[in-house]
Amino acid sequence: MNTNPYINLNRIEFLVTLQCTGKCKHCSVGARLNEKGSQCVKKEKAMAAVEKLAGMFPIASLMTFGGEPLLYPEVTCAIHSVAKQCHIKQRQLITNGFFSRETQVIRETAENIYQSGINDILLSVDAFHQETIPLAFVRLFAEELIKRNVHTVCFHPAWVVNADHQNSYNKATHTLLASLSDLGIKTTSGNNIFPAGNASTYLKDFYKLPENLDLSATCGELPYTNRLDDVQSVSIGPNGDISVCAFVIGNIYEDDIASIVAHYNPFENDMMNALIDGGVNGLLCYANKHGKQIDTHDCYSPCSVCHKIRRAFL
């Protein structure tokens, strides 16, 4: 049972691997993708982490993504199998659907997904993925999932600016999705690409840098972020790091995850404390005080500034 007032988890995310079959222009991981020495999260450690966290918190959702998590189907499915055993209701997988050219491997993977209890599959189909990923293999994978009544399979495209914006990438995405309409698979609203990683290089012409960033914002006020003193979601990477927003709070290969969670205190971390007290501007002041001159003119959001500051201290 959890007794830490700063952590109230309901979601676990696993960045299973940084290895990927795609080379997408919009990828937020950017240069880290397929980097030399990148690995897959260790299966036994990941399974143990899920079991322990589910015993401490009312975890409602678990997600695996990458990279391409199905390059390591045994690991990905094992994580979800434990999540099912722990009665985690939403067991979500984000995949580009291309992990093998072998029909038998694709069929076996679809069967393993069915057996593991993954019940929410977001299949990334859009102009960016299909620049390097053959659509025929994605279709075959989708067909195999449908045969097994895997619920729920949805196409999950990435949009430049938003789905209504008129540009060549979005038009190509609409065409691709139309070509798969015979499968009867629903399409989610997708996600609007944020100019980070590769997107900040290849798609910057579609985005305008803000003249004045509101740096008073704190974690929890911005999309996809947690309050640092009321953590509801953590992410575990292939190297074992467990992260809250931009901050690594421990490593599941080095310490017991129950201990990491029990001892978490954002007010004992100077950078977290600065962010809680003064927002991103407080963190920027902390960086300046410690001799880090941070240029914010190329930052699209307060989160971009925060991540830039974190990198400066690595």
Side-chain angles (χ1 to χ4, degrees):
M1 180 177 293
N2 174 50
T3 58
N4 189 331
Y6 306 121
I7 295 191
N8 297 286
L9 289 187
N10 59 35
R11 180 172 170 85
I12 310 168
E13 298 179 354
F14 281 94
L15 175 58
V16 174
T17 182
L18 289 171
Q19 294 293 311
C20 194
T21 51
K23 298 178 180 178
C24 298
K25 291 178 180 176
H26 75 302
C27 183
S28 61
V29 176
R32 295 170 59 210
L33 207 66
N34 295 318
E35 65 185 0
K36 186 177 180 180
S38 63
Q39 55 195 317
C40 169
V41 69
K42 294 179 182 179
K43 183 177 73 172
E44 299 299 332
K45 291 288 188 179
M47 293 169 67
V50 174
E51 190 170 7
K52 288 186 178 182
L53 289 176
M56 298 172 69
F57 301 94
I59 305 296
S61 175
L62 180 144
M63 180 178 74
T64 53
F65 65 111
E68 176 43 56
L70 292 181
L71 287 173
Y72 299 92
E74 181 185 359
V75 175
T76 299
C77 289
I79 291 171
H80 284 281
S81 292
V82 172
K84 182 180 180 181
Q85 292 168 17
C86 293
H87 307 291
I88 296 174
K89 187 175 180 180
Q90 183 189 45
R91 302 177 295 275
Q92 187 176 68
L93 166 69
I94 300 180
T95 172
N96 65 36
F98 179 51
F99 46 88
S100 175
R101 294 177 181 270
E102 300 294 328
T103 299
Q104 188 57 31
V105 172
I106 294 170
R107 286 175 177 164
E108 289 175 356
T109 302
E111 179 64 23
N112 290 336
I113 285 173
Y114 171 72
Q115 295 295 337
S116 72
I118 297 173
N119 60 11
D120 187 6
I121 299 176
L122 300 179
L123 198 54
S124 300
V125 173
D126 49 53
F128 302 101
H129 287 88
Q130 267 51 72
E131 280 188 333
T132 55
I133 292 172
L135 190 62
F137 294 104
V138 180
R139 171 182 275 274
L140 176 58
F141 177 54
E143 290 171 344
E144 292 298 323
L145 291 173
I146 292 169
K147 288 178 185 177
R148 290 162 177 81
N149 294 315
V150 175
H151 300 293
T152 314
V153 184
C154 292
F155 294 126
H156 189 64
W159 304 106
V160 177
V161 183
N162 57 57
D164 297 324
H165 191 271
Q166 296 299 305
N167 60 74
S168 59
Y169 291 110
N170 286 359
K171 289 178 182 177
T173 294
H174 283 296
T175 300
L176 283 164
L177 293 170
S179 74
L180 297 169
S181 61
D182 60 295
L183 294 174
I185 294 176
K186 294 181 179 180
T187 299
T188 71
S189 58
N191 65 284
N192 297 333
I193 295 167
F194 182 79
N198 287 351
S200 63
T201 300
Y202 296 107
L203 303 175
K204 62 183 180 181
D205 290 344
F206 294 98
Y207 297 88
K208 184 180 179 181
L209 284 165
E211 293 183 5
N212 294 297
L213 283 174
D214 178 11
L215 298 183
S216 65
T218 63
C219 287
E221 295 177 342
L222 297 164
Y224 309 111
T225 65
N226 276 234
R227 282 178 57 95
L228 296 177
D229 57 355
D230 184 21
V231 176
Q232 297 181 19
S233 174
V234 293
S235 177
I236 300 174
N239 66 349
D241 282 349
I242 177 169
S243 300
V244 175
C245 283
F247 298 90
V248 175
I249 65 170
N251 186 288
I252 64 170
Y253 302 161
E254 299 170 1
D255 298 295
D256 179 72
I257 195 162
S259 178
I260 293 171
V261 168
H263 292 93
Y264 172 76
N265 185 342
F267 297 101
E268 292 179 351
N269 180 299
D270 290 342
M271 295 185 74
M272 286 186 172
N273 207 353
L275 187 55
I276 292 170
D277 286 346
V280 179
N281 192 55
L283 186 60
L284 189 62
C285 291
Y286 174 87
N288 291 336
K289 182 179 177 180
H290 287 79
K292 307 291 185 182
Q293 300 301 313
I294 308 297
D295 183 6
T296 64
H297 291 92
D298 60 348
C299 294
Y300 288 89
S301 74
C303 282
S304 300
V305 178
C306 182
H307 281 274
K308 196 169 189 177
I309 294 170
R310 290 289 298 127
R311 289 194 298 270
F313 281 89
L314 293 178

